[in-house]
Amino acid sequence: MTDPARRLAPVVRLAPAKVNLTLAVLGIRPDGYHELHSVMVPTGVADRLSLAVLPPGGADTLHVDGFDPGPLADNLVLRAIAAARAAARAAGFEPKLLLPLAARLEKRIPVAAGLAGGSSDAAAATDAALEAWGVDLPVETRRRIAAGLGSDVPFFAVGGPALVEGRGERLTPLAWLRDAPGWPDRPGLLLVTPDVPLATPAVFRAWDLGARGPAGAARLASSHLADELRRGMLTSDMLLVRASVLAAANDLAPAAAAVEPALVPFKRALLRQLGVPVGVSGSGPTHWALYASRAGAEEAAAKLREAVASGALVSPGPRPPFIEATTITAPASESLP
Ligand code: C5P
């Protein structure tokens, strides 16, 4: 166990949103989940989680600011802390030392948006809880906890781009983009989330019922991208050569549009406004576009905000869309100073 004095300071983690650059749905598995082939990347948009140790005897608590994640009792942060505690007990750590935790979550990632914010919070909470208790668990045990919390959770342990297969539990880390002269190593990324939260199971069900893209196209694009990243892809190739193929390579996009038909005219309007390929992340409704730099994404974000304000871009849902300029983030070990 760790020095008790360390527990006075809360453990703080940033929990990044992910984007699917490709997402192929290969079929339904006997357990009802879907077999996937997806290239996922972490982004610079992140929730902030802090965990402080409470005196013995009470329950874990959670306070959330920012986007409303729904009922706190269902929140993956509390479930992740409980799962970490159970795993620590099973590994022989003294239960009375696995003290209750007070979690504070600043939700900056839109909820039910295809960005896996809740899953990222769960991954961060598992890690932070173990650190708060001073408990180290083997990688295999951590992996099991993550997979038990949700299909998207294991990805966040990679810390960089990864090929995601199976239900989400089979991960192959992919090499980071290589610079071509004059290109930054972190492509700019524009995220646009209309205010129409989509439940992932409903989108998969729509896929089951036949709302699908052209058979095999997303799978081919996904395999190509994974291979290219493995070999060391140039940023310029991703942006200039691959962007339009990637933007089309999401098998859940037609299913998301079947659940929320207003996404069809919305995407058309976005394409008109931006003039660059626009993809969908996960089960939607977040749309993404790649830029040569963060500044390029910021310029596009400003233009879109103006279009929303003037009524030139009509976004479905009661509130204006979430529009954020950021970057795809490099793995920690390769990130810039
Ligand atoms: O694993 P998780 O609880 O995050 O998944 C949420 C829902 O998304 C599942 O209940 C299932 O309906 C669907 N899903 C799926 N196949 C996957 C991942 C998720 O069908 N690979």
Side-chain angles (χ1 to χ4, degrees):
M1 302 299 285
T2 188
D3 170 7
R6 238 178 83 201
R7 294 197 191 118
L8 294 175
V11 178
V12 178
R13 289 281 186 282
L14 284 179
K18 62 79 177 160
V19 154
N20 302 76
L21 292 178
T22 59
L23 174 53
V25 182
L26 308 182
I28 311 180
R29 305 165 14 142
D31 62 6
Y33 281 86
H34 294 74
E35 194 72 22
L36 306 178
H37 190 288
S38 176
V39 174
M40 305 213 303
V41 290
T43 78
V45 175
D47 291 339
R48 184 181 181 277
L49 176 73
S50 90
L51 293 187
V53 171
L54 291 169
D60 300 318
T61 62
L62 172 63
H63 175 87
V64 183
D65 291 312
F67 286 110
D68 178 7
L72 291 189
D74 302 340
N75 195 280
L76 275 178
V77 167
L78 291 175
R79 283 170 46 201
I81 293 171
R85 185 179 284 113
R89 270 188 203 187
F93 287 89
E94 189 65 46
K96 69 174 191 291
L97 297 176
L98 306 171
L99 289 165
L101 297 172
R104 294 187 76 87
L105 180 63
E106 255 178 69
K107 273 222 75 70
R108 301 166 183 166
I109 305 172
V111 173
L115 296 170
S119 301
S120 188
D121 296 342
T126 307
D127 198 57
L130 294 175
E131 182 172 326
W133 297 320
V135 167
D136 199 12
L137 293 178
V139 173
E140 201 33 61
T141 310
R142 288 173 186 256
R143 246 185 232 141
R144 224 177 16 252
I145 299 173
L149 288 166
S151 305
D152 278 342
V153 181
F155 163 74
F156 292 100
V158 176
L163 168 61
V164 179
E165 294 175 281
R167 188 197 127 191
E169 77 288 2
R170 267 176 32 227
L171 292 156
T172 312
L174 295 169
W176 187 237
L177 295 164
R178 288 188 295 136
D179 292 354
W183 287 83
D185 75 340
R186 293 195 234 183
L189 179 70
L190 174 68
L191 298 177
V192 186
T193 313
D195 189 28
V196 283
L198 289 181
T200 304
V203 176
F204 273 107
R205 244 188 334 269
W207 186 90
D208 293 345
L209 294 172
R212 304 177 187 189
R219 169 62 201 260
L220 197 62
S222 198
S223 297
H224 277 166
L225 179 65
D227 286 346
E228 282 175 304
L229 283 168
R230 250 189 227 117
R231 285 200 298 266
M233 189 180 195
L234 292 172
T235 316
S236 50
D237 280 348
M238 178 179 287
L239 286 154
L240 300 178
V241 185
R242 287 273 164 250
S244 59
V245 174
L246 301 181
N250 183 340
D251 278 337
L252 288 182
V259 174
E260 181 49 74
L263 290 178
V264 176
F266 178 70
K267 182 167 183 186
R268 222 177 285 133
L270 257 190
L271 283 166
R272 255 197 318 271
Q273 289 289 335
L274 296 173
V276 296
V278 173
V280 171
S281 183
S283 52
T286 297
H287 291 66
W288 57 256
L290 294 171
Y291 290 87
S293 65
R294 186 189 184 117
E298 267 160 10
E299 219 171 279
K303 194 175 151 199
L304 274 194
R305 288 193 190 105
E306 238 169 68
V308 171
S310 72
L313 176 65
V314 178
S315 180
R319 282 165 301 191
F322 168 84
I323 299 172
E324 188 78 10
T326 183
T327 58
I328 293 174
T329 51
S333 57
E334 296 179 40
S335 62
L336 297 174

